[in-house]
Amino acid sequence: MFYKMKEIKIQFDYLHGPLWKEKLDVKSGEWSTGIPCIDEDKAIQLLNDEAEKMYGALFIFNDGTDGCRFDEDRFIQIKPELLSIVQTIIDRLSSINDGTYVVIDEATEMLK
């Protein structure tokens, strides 16, 4: 029997990330990775929420332009802090990894 390890992506998008959560609980409306040791880790969740809030604030709506604008200048300012959070999340994921997942880091290069 062939066992495929789950992939945990680290990437940013509006209202997501850096810990990419692909499972939606339709009853609660909560997103998760589907891996209990990650989803129940309070340190990872706090770091992820902080980075998601910082990145989400870079999207500006209703500023007189059509649609949405990404604040590139502010992004450049907060890149070092976001990178630090991403590295901390990856380190924590490595320390709790029970061998069932592999981390795919798609954020670090963007933040350097």
Side-chain angles (χ1 to χ4, degrees), residues 59-96:
F59 293 84
I60 301 167
F61 298 90
N62 300 325
D63 68 345
T65 63
D66 290 332
C68 173
R69 180 175 65 83
F70 184 79
D71 188 342
E72 199 65 49
D73 293 333
R74 179 74 181 130
F75 178 58
I76 290 167
Q77 292 173 355
I78 67 170
K79 271 183 171 184
E81 190 174 354
L82 285 173
L83 179 59
S84 176
I85 293 171
V86 164
Q87 290 173 336
T88 304
I89 290 172
I90 291 171
D91 289 346
R92 180 69 184 153
L93 287 169
S94 295
S95 72
I96 65 169

PDB file of all heavy atoms in Angstrom, residues 59-96:
ATOM      1  N   PHE A  59      -4.566  45.070   1.431  1.00  0.00           N
ATOM      2  CA  PHE A  59      -5.558  45.214   0.373  1.00  0.00           C
ATOM      3  C   PHE A  59      -6.496  46.364   0.748  1.00  0.00           C
ATOM      4  O   PHE A  59      -7.140  46.328   1.783  1.00  0.00           O
ATOM      5  CB  PHE A  59      -6.341  43.905   0.189  1.00  0.00           C
ATOM      6  CG  PHE A  59      -5.481  42.792  -0.340  1.00  0.00           C
ATOM      7  CD1 PHE A  59      -4.703  42.026   0.510  1.00  0.00           C
ATOM      8  CD2 PHE A  59      -5.433  42.523  -1.701  1.00  0.00           C
ATOM      9  CE1 PHE A  59      -3.903  41.008   0.036  1.00  0.00           C
ATOM     10  CE2 PHE A  59      -4.636  41.500  -2.193  1.00  0.00           C
ATOM     11  CZ  PHE A  59      -3.861  40.745  -1.327  1.00  0.00           C
ATOM     12  N   ILE A  60      -6.535  47.364  -0.100  1.00  0.00           N
ATOM     13  CA  ILE A  60      -7.285  48.575   0.194  1.00  0.00           C
ATOM     14  C   ILE A  60      -8.487  48.658  -0.751  1.00  0.00           C
ATOM     15  O   ILE A  60      -8.347  48.598  -1.971  1.00  0.00           O
ATOM     16  CB  ILE A  60      -6.390  49.817   0.036  1.00  0.00           C
ATOM     17  CG1 ILE A  60      -5.187  49.694   0.987  1.00  0.00           C
ATOM     18  CG2 ILE A  60      -7.177  51.088   0.294  1.00  0.00           C
ATOM     19  CD1 ILE A  60      -4.087  50.671   0.716  1.00  0.00           C
ATOM     20  N   PHE A  61      -9.659  48.800  -0.139  1.00  0.00           N
ATOM     21  CA  PHE A  61     -10.908  48.904  -0.884  1.00  0.00           C
ATOM     22  C   PHE A  61     -11.485  50.294  -0.719  1.00  0.00           C
ATOM     23  O   PHE A  61     -11.259  50.967   0.281  1.00  0.00           O
ATOM     24  CB  PHE A  61     -11.920  47.878  -0.357  1.00  0.00           C
ATOM     25  CG  PHE A  61     -11.475  46.453  -0.516  1.00  0.00           C
ATOM     26  CD1 PHE A  61     -10.737  45.829   0.489  1.00  0.00           C
ATOM     27  CD2 PHE A  61     -11.767  45.746  -1.670  1.00  0.00           C
ATOM     28  CE1 PHE A  61     -10.319  44.521   0.341  1.00  0.00           C
ATOM     29  CE2 PHE A  61     -11.354  44.435  -1.821  1.00  0.00           C
ATOM     30  CZ  PHE A  61     -10.629  43.815  -0.813  1.00  0.00           C
ATOM     31  N   ASN A  62     -12.233  50.734  -1.701  1.00  0.00           N
ATOM     32  CA  ASN A  62     -12.978  52.004  -1.630  1.00  0.00           C
ATOM     33  C   ASN A  62     -12.091  53.209  -1.342  1.00  0.00           C
ATOM     34  O   ASN A  62     -12.403  54.035  -0.495  1.00  0.00           O
ATOM     35  CB  ASN A  62     -14.087  51.925  -0.569  1.00  0.00           C
ATOM     36  CG  ASN A  62     -15.077  50.833  -0.878  1.00  0.00           C
ATOM     37  OD1 ASN A  62     -15.370  50.575  -2.038  1.00  0.00           O
ATOM     38  ND2 ASN A  62     -15.579  50.185   0.151  1.00  0.00           N
ATOM     39  N   ASP A  63     -10.988  53.313  -2.030  1.00  0.00           N
ATOM     40  CA  ASP A  63     -10.116  54.480  -1.842  1.00  0.00           C
ATOM     41  C   ASP A  63     -10.195  55.420  -3.039  1.00  0.00           C
ATOM     42  O   ASP A  63      -9.297  56.193  -3.293  1.00  0.00           O
ATOM     43  CB  ASP A  63      -8.673  54.054  -1.582  1.00  0.00           C
ATOM     44  CG  ASP A  63      -8.013  53.405  -2.798  1.00  0.00           C
ATOM     45  OD1 ASP A  63      -8.747  53.029  -3.734  1.00  0.00           O
ATOM     46  OD2 ASP A  63      -6.783  53.272  -2.807  1.00  0.00           O
ATOM     47  N   GLY A  64     -11.300  55.333  -3.786  1.00  0.00           N
ATOM     48  CA  GLY A  64     -11.471  56.192  -4.951  1.00  0.00           C
ATOM     49  C   GLY A  64     -11.060  55.530  -6.250  1.00  0.00           C
ATOM     50  O   GLY A  64     -11.282  56.071  -7.327  1.00  0.00           O
ATOM     51  N   THR A  65     -10.432  54.365  -6.148  1.00  0.00           N
ATOM     52  CA  THR A  65     -10.060  53.625  -7.353  1.00  0.00           C
ATOM     53  C   THR A  65     -11.108  52.539  -7.594  1.00  0.00           C
ATOM     54  O   THR A  65     -11.917  52.230  -6.724  1.00  0.00           O
ATOM     55  CB  THR A  65      -8.673  52.958  -7.201  1.00  0.00           C
ATOM     56  OG1 THR A  65      -8.735  52.005  -6.147  1.00  0.00           O
ATOM     57  CG2 THR A  65      -7.601  53.981  -6.897  1.00  0.00           C
ATOM     58  N   ASP A  66     -11.076  51.987  -8.746  1.00  0.00           N
ATOM     59  CA  ASP A  66     -11.982  50.876  -9.042  1.00  0.00           C
ATOM     60  C   ASP A  66     -11.474  49.615  -8.366  1.00  0.00           C
ATOM     61  O   ASP A  66     -10.320  49.245  -8.513  1.00  0.00           O
ATOM     62  CB  ASP A  66     -12.075  50.643 -10.555  1.00  0.00           C
ATOM     63  CG  ASP A  66     -12.805  51.762 -11.262  1.00  0.00           C
ATOM     64  OD1 ASP A  66     -13.654  52.396 -10.624  1.00  0.00           O
ATOM     65  OD2 ASP A  66     -12.521  52.003 -12.445  1.00  0.00           O
ATOM     66  N   GLY A  67     -12.325  48.975  -7.598  1.00  0.00           N
ATOM     67  CA  GLY A  67     -11.987  47.690  -7.010  1.00  0.00           C
ATOM     68  C   GLY A  67     -11.039  47.787  -5.836  1.00  0.00           C
ATOM     69  O   GLY A  67     -11.210  48.591  -4.935  1.00  0.00           O
ATOM     70  N   CYS A  68     -10.007  46.995  -5.912  1.00  0.00           N
ATOM     71  CA  CYS A  68      -9.075  46.803  -4.802  1.00  0.00           C
ATOM     72  C   CYS A  68      -7.670  47.196  -5.230  1.00  0.00           C
ATOM     73  O   CYS A  68      -7.275  46.983  -6.368  1.00  0.00           O
ATOM     74  CB  CYS A  68      -9.126  45.324  -4.404  1.00  0.00           C
ATOM     75  SG  CYS A  68      -7.909  44.846  -3.192  1.00  0.00           S
ATOM     76  N   ARG A  69      -6.927  47.730  -4.274  1.00  0.00           N
ATOM     77  CA  ARG A  69      -5.535  48.104  -4.526  1.00  0.00           C
ATOM     78  C   ARG A  69      -4.654  47.432  -3.469  1.00  0.00           C
ATOM     79  O   ARG A  69      -5.019  47.352  -2.299  1.00  0.00           O
ATOM     80  CB  ARG A  69      -5.392  49.620  -4.442  1.00  0.00           C
ATOM     81  CG  ARG A  69      -3.987  50.142  -4.695  1.00  0.00           C
ATOM     82  CD  ARG A  69      -3.975  51.665  -4.721  1.00  0.00           C
ATOM     83  NE  ARG A  69      -4.320  52.264  -3.447  1.00  0.00           N
ATOM     84  CZ  ARG A  69      -3.446  52.460  -2.435  1.00  0.00           C
ATOM     85  NH1 ARG A  69      -2.205  52.076  -2.548  1.00  0.00           N
ATOM     86  NH2 ARG A  69      -3.844  53.039  -1.318  1.00  0.00           N
ATOM     87  N   PHE A  70      -3.491  46.925  -3.887  1.00  0.00           N
ATOM     88  CA  PHE A  70      -2.526  46.309  -2.983  1.00  0.00           C
ATOM     89  C   PHE A  70      -1.490  47.361  -2.615  1.00  0.00           C
ATOM     90  O   PHE A  70      -0.880  47.972  -3.483  1.00  0.00           O
ATOM     91  CB  PHE A  70      -1.857  45.103  -3.657  1.00  0.00           C
ATOM     92  CG  PHE A  70      -0.929  44.348  -2.763  1.00  0.00           C
ATOM     93  CD1 PHE A  70      -1.426  43.456  -1.822  1.00  0.00           C
ATOM     94  CD2 PHE A  70       0.444  44.500  -2.853  1.00  0.00           C
ATOM     95  CE1 PHE A  70      -0.579  42.733  -0.991  1.00  0.00           C
ATOM     96  CE2 PHE A  70       1.303  43.784  -2.034  1.00  0.00           C
ATOM     97  CZ  PHE A  70       0.791  42.914  -1.104  1.00  0.00           C
ATOM     98  N   ASP A  71      -1.272  47.575  -1.312  1.00  0.00           N
ATOM     99  CA  ASP A  71      -0.343  48.594  -0.827  1.00  0.00           C
ATOM    100  C   ASP A  71       1.096  48.048  -0.879  1.00  0.00           C
ATOM    101  O   ASP A  71       1.600  47.483   0.085  1.00  0.00           O
ATOM    102  CB  ASP A  71      -0.719  49.001   0.595  1.00  0.00           C
ATOM    103  CG  ASP A  71       0.068  50.192   1.092  1.00  0.00           C
ATOM    104  OD1 ASP A  71       1.133  50.513   0.508  1.00  0.00           O
ATOM    105  OD2 ASP A  71      -0.377  50.808   2.077  1.00  0.00           O
ATOM    106  N   GLU A  72       1.710  48.213  -2.018  1.00  0.00           N
ATOM    107  CA  GLU A  72       3.058  47.685  -2.268  1.00  0.00           C
ATOM    108  C   GLU A  72       4.095  48.328  -1.341  1.00  0.00           C
ATOM    109  O   GLU A  72       5.005  47.646  -0.857  1.00  0.00           O
ATOM    110  CB  GLU A  72       3.416  47.934  -3.731  1.00  0.00           C
ATOM    111  CG  GLU A  72       4.520  47.092  -4.279  1.00  0.00           C
ATOM    112  CD  GLU A  72       4.212  45.604  -4.356  1.00  0.00           C
ATOM    113  OE1 GLU A  72       3.165  45.206  -4.866  1.00  0.00           O
ATOM    114  OE2 GLU A  72       5.078  44.837  -3.888  1.00  0.00           O
ATOM    115  N   ASP A  73       3.977  49.629  -1.084  1.00  0.00           N
ATOM    116  CA  ASP A  73       4.934  50.314  -0.207  1.00  0.00           C
ATOM    117  C   ASP A  73       4.891  49.751   1.211  1.00  0.00           C
ATOM    118  O   ASP A  73       5.932  49.500   1.829  1.00  0.00           O
ATOM    119  CB  ASP A  73       4.666  51.825  -0.176  1.00  0.00           C
ATOM    120  CG  ASP A  73       4.937  52.493  -1.516  1.00  0.00           C
ATOM    121  OD1 ASP A  73       5.777  51.974  -2.290  1.00  0.00           O
ATOM    122  OD2 ASP A  73       4.301  53.531  -1.793  1.00  0.00           O
ATOM    123  N   ARG A  74       3.692  49.571   1.728  1.00  0.00           N
ATOM    124  CA  ARG A  74       3.540  49.006   3.077  1.00  0.00           C
ATOM    125  C   ARG A  74       4.033  47.565   3.106  1.00  0.00           C
ATOM    126  O   ARG A  74       4.637  47.124   4.089  1.00  0.00           O
ATOM    127  CB  ARG A  74       2.073  49.092   3.516  1.00  0.00           C
ATOM    128  CG  ARG A  74       1.807  48.525   4.879  1.00  0.00           C
ATOM    129  CD  ARG A  74       2.326  49.449   5.982  1.00  0.00           C
ATOM    130  NE  ARG A  74       2.048  48.830   7.264  1.00  0.00           N
ATOM    131  CZ  ARG A  74       2.948  48.680   8.227  1.00  0.00           C
ATOM    132  NH1 ARG A  74       4.159  49.166   8.087  1.00  0.00           N
ATOM    133  NH2 ARG A  74       2.623  48.092   9.344  1.00  0.00           N
ATOM    134  N   PHE A  75       3.794  46.819   2.038  1.00  0.00           N
ATOM    135  CA  PHE A  75       4.260  45.440   1.941  1.00  0.00           C
ATOM    136  C   PHE A  75       5.778  45.375   2.092  1.00  0.00           C
ATOM    137  O   PHE A  75       6.302  44.556   2.843  1.00  0.00           O
ATOM    138  CB  PHE A  75       3.810  44.817   0.622  1.00  0.00           C
ATOM    139  CG  PHE A  75       4.278  43.404   0.413  1.00  0.00           C
ATOM    140  CD1 PHE A  75       3.958  42.395   1.320  1.00  0.00           C
ATOM    141  CD2 PHE A  75       5.028  43.064  -0.692  1.00  0.00           C
ATOM    142  CE1 PHE A  75       4.384  41.090   1.130  1.00  0.00           C
ATOM    143  CE2 PHE A  75       5.457  41.768  -0.894  1.00  0.00           C
ATOM    144  CZ  PHE A  75       5.131  40.779   0.013  1.00  0.00           C
ATOM    145  N   ILE A  76       6.466  46.260   1.408  1.00  0.00           N
ATOM    146  CA  ILE A  76       7.933  46.296   1.493  1.00  0.00           C
ATOM    147  C   ILE A  76       8.365  46.561   2.939  1.00  0.00           C
ATOM    148  O   ILE A  76       9.319  45.961   3.426  1.00  0.00           O
ATOM    149  CB  ILE A  76       8.502  47.349   0.518  1.00  0.00           C
ATOM    150  CG1 ILE A  76       8.301  46.866  -0.916  1.00  0.00           C
ATOM    151  CG2 ILE A  76       9.973  47.628   0.798  1.00  0.00           C
ATOM    152  CD1 ILE A  76       8.535  47.918  -1.980  1.00  0.00           C
ATOM    153  N   GLN A  77       7.638  47.419   3.643  1.00  0.00           N
ATOM    154  CA  GLN A  77       7.973  47.749   5.030  1.00  0.00           C
ATOM    155  C   GLN A  77       7.793  46.558   5.974  1.00  0.00           C
ATOM    156  O   GLN A  77       8.575  46.394   6.905  1.00  0.00           O
ATOM    157  CB  GLN A  77       7.104  48.907   5.533  1.00  0.00           C
ATOM    158  CG  GLN A  77       7.387  50.225   4.876  1.00  0.00           C
ATOM    159  CD  GLN A  77       6.383  51.289   5.287  1.00  0.00           C
ATOM    160  OE1 GLN A  77       5.423  51.035   5.997  1.00  0.00           O
ATOM    161  NE2 GLN A  77       6.611  52.514   4.813  1.00  0.00           N
ATOM    162  N   ILE A  78       6.753  45.767   5.755  1.00  0.00           N
ATOM    163  CA  ILE A  78       6.457  44.681   6.699  1.00  0.00           C
ATOM    164  C   ILE A  78       7.028  43.323   6.282  1.00  0.00           C
ATOM    165  O   ILE A  78       6.882  42.348   7.021  1.00  0.00           O
ATOM    166  CB  ILE A  78       4.939  44.550   6.973  1.00  0.00           C
ATOM    167  CG1 ILE A  78       4.177  44.091   5.739  1.00  0.00           C
ATOM    168  CG2 ILE A  78       4.385  45.846   7.540  1.00  0.00           C
ATOM    169  CD1 ILE A  78       2.730  43.716   6.017  1.00  0.00           C
ATOM    170  N   LYS A  79       7.688  43.267   5.124  1.00  0.00           N
ATOM    171  CA  LYS A  79       8.267  41.994   4.670  1.00  0.00           C
ATOM    172  C   LYS A  79       9.139  41.318   5.733  1.00  0.00           C
ATOM    173  O   LYS A  79       9.001  40.112   5.962  1.00  0.00           O
ATOM    174  CB  LYS A  79       9.083  42.193   3.393  1.00  0.00           C
ATOM    175  CG  LYS A  79       8.312  42.051   2.128  1.00  0.00           C
ATOM    176  CD  LYS A  79       9.277  42.195   0.949  1.00  0.00           C
ATOM    177  CE  LYS A  79       8.620  41.859  -0.348  1.00  0.00           C
ATOM    178  NZ  LYS A  79       9.592  41.905  -1.452  1.00  0.00           N
ATOM    179  N   PRO A  80      10.051  42.056   6.390  1.00  0.00           N
ATOM    180  CA  PRO A  80      10.899  41.386   7.385  1.00  0.00           C
ATOM    181  C   PRO A  80      10.094  40.749   8.520  1.00  0.00           C
ATOM    182  O   PRO A  80      10.411  39.640   8.967  1.00  0.00           O
ATOM    183  CB  PRO A  80      11.801  42.510   7.907  1.00  0.00           C
ATOM    184  CG  PRO A  80      11.827  43.521   6.807  1.00  0.00           C
ATOM    185  CD  PRO A  80      10.462  43.454   6.191  1.00  0.00           C
ATOM    186  N   GLU A  81       9.060  41.429   8.980  1.00  0.00           N
ATOM    187  CA  GLU A  81       8.233  40.875  10.056  1.00  0.00           C
ATOM    188  C   GLU A  81       7.444  39.660   9.575  1.00  0.00           C
ATOM    189  O   GLU A  81       7.356  38.653  10.284  1.00  0.00           O
ATOM    190  CB  GLU A  81       7.287  41.945  10.592  1.00  0.00           C
ATOM    191  CG  GLU A  81       6.572  41.514  11.847  1.00  0.00           C
ATOM    192  CD  GLU A  81       5.733  42.626  12.462  1.00  0.00           C
ATOM    193  OE1 GLU A  81       5.786  43.783  11.995  1.00  0.00           O
ATOM    194  OE2 GLU A  81       5.016  42.322  13.424  1.00  0.00           O
ATOM    195  N   LEU A  82       6.889  39.741   8.378  1.00  0.00           N
ATOM    196  CA  LEU A  82       6.172  38.592   7.820  1.00  0.00           C
ATOM    197  C   LEU A  82       7.111  37.406   7.629  1.00  0.00           C
ATOM    198  O   LEU A  82       6.753  36.260   7.914  1.00  0.00           O
ATOM    199  CB  LEU A  82       5.509  38.955   6.488  1.00  0.00           C
ATOM    200  CG  LEU A  82       4.258  39.813   6.560  1.00  0.00           C
ATOM    201  CD1 LEU A  82       3.812  40.223   5.152  1.00  0.00           C
ATOM    202  CD2 LEU A  82       3.139  39.096   7.280  1.00  0.00           C
ATOM    203  N   LEU A  83       8.319  37.668   7.153  1.00  0.00           N
ATOM    204  CA  LEU A  83       9.301  36.604   6.966  1.00  0.00           C
ATOM    205  C   LEU A  83       9.633  35.931   8.292  1.00  0.00           C
ATOM    206  O   LEU A  83       9.706  34.702   8.384  1.00  0.00           O
ATOM    207  CB  LEU A  83      10.568  37.154   6.309  1.00  0.00           C
ATOM    208  CG  LEU A  83      11.695  36.151   6.073  1.00  0.00           C
ATOM    209  CD1 LEU A  83      11.243  35.003   5.189  1.00  0.00           C
ATOM    210  CD2 LEU A  83      12.905  36.866   5.461  1.00  0.00           C
ATOM    211  N   SER A  84       9.806  36.720   9.330  1.00  0.00           N
ATOM    212  CA  SER A  84      10.093  36.168  10.650  1.00  0.00           C
ATOM    213  C   SER A  84       8.951  35.272  11.131  1.00  0.00           C
ATOM    214  O   SER A  84       9.187  34.173  11.667  1.00  0.00           O
ATOM    215  CB  SER A  84      10.328  37.308  11.638  1.00  0.00           C
ATOM    216  OG  SER A  84      10.516  36.809  12.942  1.00  0.00           O
ATOM    217  N   ILE A  85       7.719  35.710  10.936  1.00  0.00           N
ATOM    218  CA  ILE A  85       6.564  34.906  11.342  1.00  0.00           C
ATOM    219  C   ILE A  85       6.515  33.612  10.541  1.00  0.00           C
ATOM    220  O   ILE A  85       6.307  32.528  11.110  1.00  0.00           O
ATOM    221  CB  ILE A  85       5.253  35.707  11.186  1.00  0.00           C
ATOM    222  CG1 ILE A  85       5.216  36.862  12.187  1.00  0.00           C
ATOM    223  CG2 ILE A  85       4.033  34.794  11.374  1.00  0.00           C
ATOM    224  CD1 ILE A  85       4.072  37.841  11.962  1.00  0.00           C
ATOM    225  N   VAL A  86       6.723  33.703   9.232  1.00  0.00           N
ATOM    226  CA  VAL A  86       6.713  32.501   8.379  1.00  0.00           C
ATOM    227  C   VAL A  86       7.786  31.517   8.825  1.00  0.00           C
ATOM    228  O   VAL A  86       7.532  30.316   8.951  1.00  0.00           O
ATOM    229  CB  VAL A  86       6.884  32.882   6.887  1.00  0.00           C
ATOM    230  CG1 VAL A  86       7.257  31.675   6.046  1.00  0.00           C
ATOM    231  CG2 VAL A  86       5.608  33.525   6.356  1.00  0.00           C
ATOM    232  N   GLN A  87       8.977  32.008   9.090  1.00  0.00           N
ATOM    233  CA  GLN A  87      10.057  31.118   9.529  1.00  0.00           C
ATOM    234  C   GLN A  87       9.729  30.471  10.865  1.00  0.00           C
ATOM    235  O   GLN A  87      10.018  29.286  11.079  1.00  0.00           O
ATOM    236  CB  GLN A  87      11.376  31.888   9.590  1.00  0.00           C
ATOM    237  CG  GLN A  87      11.890  32.241   8.215  1.00  0.00           C
ATOM    238  CD  GLN A  87      13.110  33.149   8.242  1.00  0.00           C
ATOM    239  OE1 GLN A  87      13.355  33.882   9.199  1.00  0.00           O
ATOM    240  NE2 GLN A  87      13.874  33.122   7.168  1.00  0.00           N
ATOM    241  N   THR A  88       9.102  31.206  11.766  1.00  0.00           N
ATOM    242  CA  THR A  88       8.700  30.656  13.059  1.00  0.00           C
ATOM    243  C   THR A  88       7.641  29.573  12.878  1.00  0.00           C
ATOM    244  O   THR A  88       7.692  28.523  13.529  1.00  0.00           O
ATOM    245  CB  THR A  88       8.200  31.770  13.999  1.00  0.00           C
ATOM    246  OG1 THR A  88       9.225  32.762  14.137  1.00  0.00           O
ATOM    247  CG2 THR A  88       7.844  31.220  15.367  1.00  0.00           C
ATOM    248  N   ILE A  89       6.678  29.818  11.991  1.00  0.00           N
ATOM    249  CA  ILE A  89       5.658  28.806  11.706  1.00  0.00           C
ATOM    250  C   ILE A  89       6.293  27.548  11.132  1.00  0.00           C
ATOM    251  O   ILE A  89       5.987  26.430  11.562  1.00  0.00           O
ATOM    252  CB  ILE A  89       4.577  29.364  10.747  1.00  0.00           C
ATOM    253  CG1 ILE A  89       3.723  30.402  11.460  1.00  0.00           C
ATOM    254  CG2 ILE A  89       3.708  28.225  10.188  1.00  0.00           C
ATOM    255  CD1 ILE A  89       2.761  31.157  10.543  1.00  0.00           C
ATOM    256  N   ILE A  90       7.190  27.704  10.179  1.00  0.00           N
ATOM    257  CA  ILE A  90       7.851  26.542   9.564  1.00  0.00           C
ATOM    258  C   ILE A  90       8.667  25.774  10.599  1.00  0.00           C
ATOM    259  O   ILE A  90       8.626  24.535  10.639  1.00  0.00           O
ATOM    260  CB  ILE A  90       8.712  26.977   8.361  1.00  0.00           C
ATOM    261  CG1 ILE A  90       7.802  27.457   7.226  1.00  0.00           C
ATOM    262  CG2 ILE A  90       9.613  25.832   7.888  1.00  0.00           C
ATOM    263  CD1 ILE A  90       8.534  28.108   6.070  1.00  0.00           C
ATOM    264  N   ASP A  91       9.376  26.486  11.458  1.00  0.00           N
ATOM    265  CA  ASP A  91      10.143  25.824  12.525  1.00  0.00           C
ATOM    266  C   ASP A  91       9.225  25.035  13.442  1.00  0.00           C
ATOM    267  O   ASP A  91       9.528  23.899  13.825  1.00  0.00           O
ATOM    268  CB  ASP A  91      10.938  26.846  13.347  1.00  0.00           C
ATOM    269  CG  ASP A  91      12.105  27.452  12.585  1.00  0.00           C
ATOM    270  OD1 ASP A  91      12.484  26.909  11.521  1.00  0.00           O
ATOM    271  OD2 ASP A  91      12.625  28.483  13.057  1.00  0.00           O
ATOM    272  N   ARG A  92       8.105  25.633  13.808  1.00  0.00           N
ATOM    273  CA  ARG A  92       7.147  24.942  14.687  1.00  0.00           C
ATOM    274  C   ARG A  92       6.540  23.728  13.975  1.00  0.00           C
ATOM    275  O   ARG A  92       6.391  22.668  14.583  1.00  0.00           O
ATOM    276  CB  ARG A  92       6.050  25.925  15.134  1.00  0.00           C
ATOM    277  CG  ARG A  92       5.018  25.317  16.041  1.00  0.00           C
ATOM    278  CD  ARG A  92       5.574  24.974  17.405  1.00  0.00           C
ATOM    279  NE  ARG A  92       4.543  24.316  18.177  1.00  0.00           N
ATOM    280  CZ  ARG A  92       4.770  23.457  19.137  1.00  0.00           C
ATOM    281  NH1 ARG A  92       6.009  23.167  19.488  1.00  0.00           N
ATOM    282  NH2 ARG A  92       3.781  22.897  19.787  1.00  0.00           N
ATOM    283  N   LEU A  93       6.194  23.879  12.704  1.00  0.00           N
ATOM    284  CA  LEU A  93       5.667  22.743  11.934  1.00  0.00           C
ATOM    285  C   LEU A  93       6.674  21.600  11.905  1.00  0.00           C
ATOM    286  O   LEU A  93       6.298  20.433  12.017  1.00  0.00           O
ATOM    287  CB  LEU A  93       5.312  23.170  10.510  1.00  0.00           C
ATOM    288  CG  LEU A  93       4.063  24.023  10.346  1.00  0.00           C
ATOM    289  CD1 LEU A  93       3.977  24.590   8.925  1.00  0.00           C
ATOM    290  CD2 LEU A  93       2.812  23.230  10.687  1.00  0.00           C
ATOM    291  N   SER A  94       7.944  21.933  11.758  1.00  0.00           N
ATOM    292  CA  SER A  94       8.991  20.908  11.748  1.00  0.00           C
ATOM    293  C   SER A  94       9.087  20.201  13.089  1.00  0.00           C
ATOM    294  O   SER A  94       9.267  18.981  13.147  1.00  0.00           O
ATOM    295  CB  SER A  94      10.346  21.523  11.395  1.00  0.00           C
ATOM    296  OG  SER A  94      10.322  22.014  10.083  1.00  0.00           O
ATOM    297  N   SER A  95       8.953  20.957  14.169  1.00  0.00           N
ATOM    298  CA  SER A  95       9.122  20.364  15.493  1.00  0.00           C
ATOM    299  C   SER A  95       7.956  19.466  15.894  1.00  0.00           C
ATOM    300  O   SER A  95       8.139  18.543  16.681  1.00  0.00           O
ATOM    301  CB  SER A  95       9.354  21.437  16.558  1.00  0.00           C
ATOM    302  OG  SER A  95       8.172  22.159  16.812  1.00  0.00           O
ATOM    303  N   ILE A  96       6.759  19.712  15.359  1.00  0.00           N
ATOM    304  CA  ILE A  96       5.614  18.872  15.725  1.00  0.00           C
ATOM    305  C   ILE A  96       5.283  17.827  14.655  1.00  0.00           C
ATOM    306  O   ILE A  96       4.356  17.039  14.832  1.00  0.00           O
ATOM    307  CB  ILE A  96       4.346  19.718  16.018  1.00  0.00           C
ATOM    308  CG1 ILE A  96       3.848  20.440  14.774  1.00  0.00           C
ATOM    309  CG2 ILE A  96       4.595  20.663  17.178  1.00  0.00           C
ATOM    310  CD1 ILE A  96       2.478  21.080  14.923  1.00  0.00           C
TER     311      ILE A  96
END
